[in-house]
Amino acid sequence: MRHTLRILAKSPGFSLVAILALALGIGANTALFSVTDAVFLRPLPFAQPAQLVRLASTDALHGFDRAPFSLPRFEAVRENQQVFRDLACGIFTAFTLTGRGDPVQVQGFMASQDYLPTLGLQPLFGRNFSAAEDRPGGAPVVLVSYNFWRQTLHADPAALGQSLTIDGQPHTVIGILPPALSSIPFNQVELWTPRPAEVPFLQPSQLEGGGFFFQVIARLKPGVSLAQAQENMNVIAAAYRAAHPSNSDAPSHLDAIPLLDDLVGDQRSTYALLFGAVGCVLLIACANVANLLLARFSARRKELALRLALGATRGHIVRQLLLESTVVALLGGALGVLLARWGVDAFVRLGQNFIPRSQEISVHLPALLFTLALALLTGIGMGLFPALHAARTPSGDALKDAGRGSSGGPAQGRLRSALLVAEIALSLVLLIAASLLLTSFSRLQRVSPGFDPDHVFIGFVNLPPAKYPNATALSNFYLHLQQRLAVLPGAKAVALADSPPLSGNSGPAPIAVVGHPVPPLSERPNALRHLVTPNSFATLRIPLLRGRDFNERDLPGSPETVIINEAFARQFFPGEDPLGRKIITGMAQKTAEIVGVVGDTHTLDLTTPPRAEYFLPALQRGETFTSILVRTEGDPAGFAASVRAALHEVDADQPLIGGQPFAQLIARTFAARRLVMLLLGAFAGLALILAGLGVYSVMAYVVTQRTNEIGIRMALGATPGGVQRLVLKQGLRLVALGVCLGLSGALLLTQFMAKVLFAVQAADPLIYAAAAAFLAVVAALACYFPARRATRVDPLIALRAE
């Protein structure tokens, strides 16, 4: 080891380049392993998490995939299931907390009494809900999250028994939840209350008609497999379909999904893509360092021959050279850990709003063990063949050739060429993948959403149902709020809407057309449902194509009206004028007359084509949740204070949720794609730099080894241009082979990217050609400078050296 460290210290240039190259590759792999371990591999912080499943509803015909449960279906499962030890349901909501300074909106969860026991948890302090508290009319009690207890209640040991005013009603704190419930999917939840069936924002028709609203979890009985649970759910689903044929969820299938799989969703393919990319970067770095080792060991042939002549065995030589490569890799791994920590911190900051379990991501012991194993494998893998080759060289030949300079023989030359070709091929695969994502992202950003979010402020309001118990009270609040907002300085247009496009709040509801056969609720098609006030379309600059907008006469008690979009008209009124026609909307099944048609928007996301949507007047059918939309004359970023003041003038106890430019909110819909594109682009750029350096180093070494030959050629009359072409030809032949292999590999591997691409084919010939041309130019430049240096060889000096 001492000898190894002395050898590395004598060649600081080689050591530094090799360690940095490996640090980049190992650090990137360690960082991504840390993310993957936290998201996919680490067990959930619940008791026996492998037994936990979420029950979901899937109806491909109506576009529901892993949707929540309805209350009637939950009751059917609870009464008939034979495979679960525990079963519980809950629903996410929002609460207005008052009495502690300014009113604030907090995330809430209404859970049945058995929710905590199903997770295998108990309150850290205090107790769980009792059976009496979970029945209709039970006492108003609340469990608070660990973070809420620490931050809002200041970790007060006397917090139990205190009163919190939630939605205007006092609730007694009966327990502090454990830190485990501060992780996904409850990381935003601060208050838990019982009786989920009493959720205030749902109407009886929605609860009883099979609406998809409730989160249902279950714990498998010991010895029961997931397949057995799924068979039991299939039987229950068929029985439910027969018993409740008119419920909207009757056609849907019942899925039992492992809880961890449900939380991480379909992100495994994306992380597999990124892991493949960082693996390529490490392989390219290893190829570079292996080429450097080949050159280094070749230059030390005389030293190794002397060792053999003095009695060293070939095993001693191989172990010594492997130790050198392994020490380099371990030093690279140590530096890579530091890079990984910085990378993980940046990754978490960029993806904290959409990466599952982002709070749990860190470089911890499993990641350090992974780094150690990776560094050892890297050191042995990249050093083994060069060491074996160096140890096989006959000592007599090495001593005779040592003074002349040698390339190390044909085998070593073939290995260097093979490593260079592999670098080029891997770099091209990464470059093509990054180019596909960049093109996809660019085309996605050019998609017109169908409305204009620029210079629009958006904030949200969630009214307490106890204070606004009916449509008339809600209508009065919305009308007064809109009138007050309209006179704010700098406000050009104002509206309220429960689910603006691309806000993430839109949901489907069943519809039927009057005049056509009206199927049961479970067989009706769905359309996206919205509640908007007058001037909503003008505020977002959605064109009104026919008919009229809502007005202040569309109030409770007046004739029911509805506005549809073009996609709705095409689907349900092909070749007809929809104005004046009537449709039956939602689970409440109210009949409304179509009074207008507006342009289509990309409401769910920019990758999903516009679909059928209908808009109801919020002043007529008001609900407790809405958003405030204000088109401003200037930058909407500083408009939150004015909107909050106007809101408090209408209701002093009502907080403003969020408050930001609408364009900024929409930008979050690109966040996941942008992060993947940035990471893959960074890996591709790194691979391109390493490949360029690899080409340069190999060609520079070739020129050094062929100095005598070049001198003889020039002494015999070869021109500098001819020598330059000779060297370039050798390098470009290897580059061309690497490009061909890279194109073939990209054709195979990029097919797995189809799910993350938008408006671009995985085998787009222009992108492939452009990436190949760009890489070829970089590689040609890397060949050019050593070739140019070859033309400056002095024949006399070269011949004298020979």
Side-chain angles (χ1 to χ4, degrees):
M1 178 63 74
R2 288 194 299 269
H3 176 71
T4 295
L5 295 176
R6 285 199 301 269
I7 288 291
L8 294 177
K10 288 179 180 179
S11 304
F14 160 80
S15 302
L16 184 61
V17 170
I19 290 170
L20 284 177
L22 293 176
L24 291 171
I26 294 175
N29 278 270
T30 301
L32 198 57
F33 175 82
S34 300
V35 174
T36 304
D37 176 62
V39 175
F40 300 106
L41 305 180
R42 196 179 306 169
L44 294 171
F46 309 129
Q48 297 176 305
Q51 296 179 351
L52 290 173
V53 297
R54 185 175 85 88
L55 302 183
S57 306
T58 297
D59 184 356
L61 182 62
H62 292 95
F64 292 105
D65 182 30
R66 295 187 178 184
F69 252 46
S70 70
L71 198 58
R73 170 167 275 180
F74 171 70
E75 297 294 344
V77 171
R78 184 162 61 179
E79 293 171 5
N80 298 289
Q81 67 87 16
Q82 302 171 352
V83 292
F84 301 128
R85 190 180 73 187
D86 298 297
L87 187 71
C89 81
I91 185 169
F92 290 97
T93 184
F95 297 126
T96 299
L97 182 67
T98 54
R100 291 179 171 270
D102 292 335
V104 294
Q105 191 86 37
V106 297
Q107 183 75 41
F109 190 69
M110 301 181 70
S112 59
Q113 176 206 5
D114 39 15
Y115 210 97
L116 289 181
T118 300
L119 293 174
L121 299 176
Q122 289 295 327
L124 188 64
F125 305 109
R127 63 174 177 84
N128 188 23
F129 305 127
S130 67
E133 291 163 345
D134 197 32
R135 287 195 289 266
V141 293
V142 62
L143 297 170
V144 302
S145 73
Y146 182 77
N147 290 338
F148 184 91
W149 175 62
R150 288 177 58 87
Q151 296 169 10
T152 304
L153 301 182
H154 310 295
D156 185 358
L160 296 178
Q162 290 187 14
S163 179
L164 297 178
T165 303
I166 303 171
D167 288 348
Q169 183 180 14
H171 286 65
T172 302
V173 177
I174 62 169
I176 313 299
L177 293 170
L181 284 174
S182 296
S183 62
I184 193 168
F186 307 108
N187 50 307
Q188 301 296 326
V189 177
E190 298 189 80
L191 302 177
W192 291 52
T193 62
R195 302 183 297 279
E198 295 181 5
V199 60
F201 58 80
L202 295 180
Q203 302 298 318
S205 60
Q206 295 172 302
L207 288 170
E208 299 164 6
F212 302 91
F213 299 107
F214 294 90
Q215 305 293 327
V216 175
I217 61 169
R219 181 177 290 277
L220 295 169
K221 289 181 178 179
V224 174
S225 67
L226 189 66
Q228 291 172 316
Q230 186 61 62
E231 290 178 5
N232 190 215
M233 293 304 99
N234 293 340
V235 172
I236 294 174
Y240 178 83
R241 194 174 300 119
H244 305 274
S246 61
N247 278 15
S248 62
D249 64 338
S252 61
H253 300 285
L254 215 168
D255 297 327
I257 310 161
L259 188 58
L260 178 58
D261 290 353
D262 181 68
L263 294 179
V264 301
D266 57 354
Q267 298 191 33
R268 295 184 189 273
S269 59
T270 299
Y271 283 90
L273 171 66
L274 293 175
F275 236 130
V278 296
C280 286
V281 171
L282 181 58
L283 287 175
I284 293 169
C286 288
N288 255 332
V289 177
N291 258 325
L292 291 173
L293 288 172
L294 281 169
R296 180 176 173 79
F297 293 165
S298 178
R300 292 170 60 190
R301 294 175 74 228
K302 182 177 180 181
E303 172 206 334
L304 300 178
L306 284 172
R307 287 176 177 273
L308 289 169
L310 292 174
T313 66
R314 299 191 187 280
H316 290 144
I317 298 298
V318 170
R319 285 196 297 272
Q320 179 62 45
L321 298 182
L322 271 181
L323 183 60
E324 291 181 24
S325 65
T326 303
V327 168
V328 168
L330 289 173
L331 292 174
L335 180 58
V337 169
L338 296 177
L339 298 177
R341 291 194 61 178
W342 296 334
V344 163
D345 291 343
F347 188 88
V348 171
R349 284 195 301 271
L350 289 171
Q352 59 185 346
N353 292 323
F354 56 86
I355 296 176
R357 309 179 73 181
S358 62
Q359 296 174 326
E360 303 174 40
I361 299 173
S362 63
V363 180
H364 56 309
L365 181 60
L368 295 177
L369 294 175
F370 171 82
T371 304
L372 177 61
L374 188 62
L376 289 173
L377 288 174
T378 299
I380 295 171
M382 72 182 181
L384 184 59
F385 187 88
L388 289 173
H389 180 81
R392 280 202 305 266
T393 304
S395 58
D397 294 344
L399 289 171
K400 285 186 290 184
D401 293 342
R404 301 180 178 184
S406 172
S407 64
Q412 197 174 111
R414 286 193 295 271
L415 178 59
R416 280 198 300 270
S417 298
L419 290 173
L420 178 60
V421 168
E423 285 187 59
I424 296 294
L426 290 173
S427 299
L428 183 56
V429 171
L430 278 184
L431 189 59
I432 289 174
S435 300
L436 287 170
L437 280 182
L438 180 61
T439 304
S440 174
F441 188 74
S442 175
R443 291 178 181 176
L444 182 64
Q445 287 191 307
R446 290 201 298 267
V447 173
S448 173
F451 66 100
D452 181 12
D454 293 333
H455 297 285
V456 174
F457 169 89
I458 184 170
F460 298 93
V461 175
N462 191 35
L463 301 173
K467 193 171 184 178
Y468 298 92
N470 52 52
T472 300
L474 288 167
S475 177
N476 290 335
F477 173 84
Y478 289 152
L479 188 59
H480 293 157
L481 178 59
Q482 188 167 0
Q483 291 171 347
R484 179 64 188 84
L485 293 170
V487 299
L488 289 177
K492 297 174 65 176
V494 173
L496 305 176
D498 70 330
S499 52
L502 299 179
S503 66
N505 298 320
S506 301
I511 68 101
V513 177
V514 175
H516 295 176
V518 178
L521 194 63
S522 59
E523 299 177 14
R524 296 178 191 176
N526 288 320
L528 296 179
R529 171 185 178 272
H530 309 274
L531 293 170
V532 301
T533 62
N535 208 38
S536 288
F537 306 115
T539 301
L540 292 179
R541 295 180 178 170
I542 299 173
L544 180 64
L545 304 177
R546 280 172 282 176
R548 69 170 179 88
D549 192 0
F550 297 129
N551 55 49
E552 295 183 0
R553 294 189 296 276
D554 293 308
L555 298 171
S558 61
E560 301 278 347
T561 56
V562 63
I563 293 174
I564 63 174
N565 70 340
E566 280 189 289
F568 192 108
R570 287 193 301 269
Q571 181 175 346
F572 297 103
F573 302 100
E576 304 177 41
D577 183 4
L579 294 181
R581 299 290 297 274
K582 294 184 177 181
I583 60 174
I584 302 172
T585 64
M587 301 184 69
Q589 305 191 61
K590 292 185 178 181
T591 301
E593 179 183 345
I594 299 173
V595 297
V597 180
V598 297
D600 291 336
T601 61
H602 289 270
T603 298
L604 298 177
D605 58 69
L606 291 179
T607 64
T608 303
R611 55 182 293 183
E613 302 180 47
Y614 67 92
F615 304 82
L616 300 171
L619 298 182
Q620 187 177 71
R621 296 197 194 183
E623 294 182 357
T624 55
F625 180 82
T626 192
S627 67
I628 295 173
L629 300 170
V630 183
R631 180 165 292 280
T632 63
E633 293 179 353
D635 185 0
F639 221 72
S642 299
V643 172
R644 187 176 293 108
L647 175 61
H648 287 174
E649 287 184 24
V650 179
D651 185 340
D653 292 331
Q654 189 57 45
L656 176 69
I657 308 169
Q660 61 189 310
F662 199 177
Q664 182 178 318
L665 178 66
I666 293 175
R668 293 180 184 173
T669 64
F670 302 119
R673 287 177 177 268
R674 181 185 290 110
L675 181 59
V676 173
M677 181 195 69
L678 289 174
L679 288 175
L680 198 57
F683 298 150
L686 184 58
L688 189 64
I689 294 171
L690 289 174
L693 291 175
V695 172
Y696 178 84
S697 63
V698 168
M699 296 312 300
Y701 183 75
V702 166
V703 169
T704 301
Q705 296 300 320
R706 297 181 66 179
T707 298
N708 298 330
E709 174 196 341
I710 293 171
I712 293 172
R713 286 178 180 272
M714 296 186 71
L716 294 175
T719 64
V723 171
Q724 187 169 339
R725 285 192 296 272
L726 177 69
V727 177
L728 276 175
K729 183 179 179 181
Q730 180 180 357
L732 293 179
R733 187 186 301 119
L734 297 176
V735 171
L737 179 57
V739 167
C740 291
L741 291 176
L743 289 173
S744 302
L747 282 171
L748 293 174
L749 297 177
T750 54
Q751 300 302 317
F752 298 102
M753 295 177 58
K755 289 184 179 180
V756 297
L757 296 179
F758 173 76
V760 60
Q761 297 297 319
D764 189 302
L766 292 178
I767 293 176
Y768 276 57
F774 182 69
L775 179 60
V777 169
V778 172
L781 289 173
C783 290
Y784 170 77
F785 292 104
R788 185 179 178 185
R789 193 177 70 183
T791 65
R792 299 173 180 172
V793 172
D794 187 331
L796 291 178
I797 296 176
L799 291 172
R800 190 177 300 120
E802 178 65 21

